[in-house]
């Protein structure tokens, strides 16, 4: 049961509790079989797990930004994308304000654009803060949104790998 619980945790984490576009039917079936062995409920266990894992109140904005941060060479641009995943709306709102203030004067060395995505797992969407030369145009072309003071909400967007970066790549071909 303990090993089944750990394996189930890994699937729930990787698939954002089955909400990520990376999630497959096999992921769901395996997690449900493992949760039965472990004696846990996937939904409540997943919420508990993400709540514990997304407690960011004692971290600086620098630490939060770079917690899951990757740089991408996209066309003629270098775009960095940081991301957090949370089930806590209040925590996301606090980080949104503080990260917006932090990024207003920030630029990662060697980057043209820095984007920070705050993914709300339960609402299945991400707020993004985007700064740098061309950030507004890039986000408009990539996501069909206008940044409002560097911020926009992207409903249905939760995966950097499957949704954010491919949209950015496509947009750079239009700029």
């Amino acid at each position: 049961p303990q090993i089944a619980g750990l394996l189930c945790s890994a699937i729930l984490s990787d698939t954002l509790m089955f909400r990520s576009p990376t999630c497959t039917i096999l992921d769901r079936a395996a997690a449900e079989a493992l949760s039965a062995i472990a004696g846990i409920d996937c939904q409540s266990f997943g919420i508990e797990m993400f709540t514990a894992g997304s407690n960011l109140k004692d971290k600086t904005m620098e630490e939060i930004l770079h917690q899951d941060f990757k740089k991408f060479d996209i066309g003629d641009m270098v775009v960095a994308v940081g991301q957090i995943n949370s089930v806590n709306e209040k925590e996301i709102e606090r980080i949104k304000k503080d990260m917006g203030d932090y990024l207003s004067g920030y630029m990662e060395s060697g980057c043209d654009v820095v984007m920070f995505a705050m993914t709300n797992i339960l609402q299945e969407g991400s707020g993004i803060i985007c700064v740098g030369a061309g950030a507004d145009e890039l986000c408009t072309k990539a996501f069909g949104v206008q940044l409002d003071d560097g911020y926009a909400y992207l409903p249905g967007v939760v995966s950097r790998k499957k949704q954010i970066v491919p949209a950015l790549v496509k947009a750079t071909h239009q700029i």
Side-chain angles (χ1 to χ4, degrees):
Q2 199 172 31
I3 292 170
L6 290 170
L7 292 170
C8 184
S9 297
I11 295 169
L12 291 171
S13 176
D14 189 55
T15 66
L16 297 177
M17 295 172 39
F18 311 125
R19 289 166 169 84
S20 173
T22 63
C23 181
T24 67
I25 294 169
L26 290 174
D27 290 326
R28 186 179 290 274
E32 289 173 0
L34 291 164
S35 70
I37 294 167
I40 58 175
D41 174 72
C42 283
Q43 180 71 15
S44 59
F45 184 75
I47 290 171
E48 187 179 324
M49 183 180 75
F50 277 104
T51 298
S54 71
N55 185 348
L56 303 170
K57 69 178 177 172
D58 294 328
K59 294 191 176 183
T60 66
M61 287 302 110
E62 172 92 14
E63 290 170 328
I64 292 170
L65 174 65
H66 288 95
Q67 183 170 293
D68 186 5
F69 187 84
K70 295 180 180 160
K71 291 181 184 179
F72 301 92
D73 291 314
I74 302 174
D76 294 335
M77 301 175 80
V78 177
V79 180
V81 183
Q83 183 176 22
I84 59 160
N85 299 306
S86 183
V87 293
N88 184 332
E89 182 65 30
K90 288 182 182 175
E91 179 176 64
I92 290 172
E93 282 301 313
R94 179 189 63 83
I95 290 171
K96 173 186 166 187
K97 181 200 177 310
D98 292 348
M99 188 61 72
D101 293 345
Y102 177 74
L103 287 179
S104 67
Y106 176 89
M107 185 46 65
E108 179 76 16
S109 175
C111 291
D112 299 294
V113 173
V114 174
M115 177 182 291
F116 183 70
M118 298 157 287
T119 301
N120 185 318
I121 297 165
L122 298 179
Q123 291 183 359
E124 298 183 43
S126 297
I128 59 165
I129 299 170
C130 200
V131 298
D136 289 328
E137 183 180 9
L138 180 63
C139 288
T140 298
K141 292 200 184 310
F143 307 110
V145 297
Q146 288 293 129
L147 294 177
D148 180 13
D149 200 22
Y151 175 82
Y153 184 75
L154 308 176
V157 175
V158 296
S159 173
R160 176 173 49 202
K161 178 176 155 185
K162 292 277 189 171
Q163 295 172 302
I164 294 174
V165 173
L168 293 171
V169 169
K170 185 177 177 184
T172 59
H173 296 300
Q174 299 170 3
I175 295 177

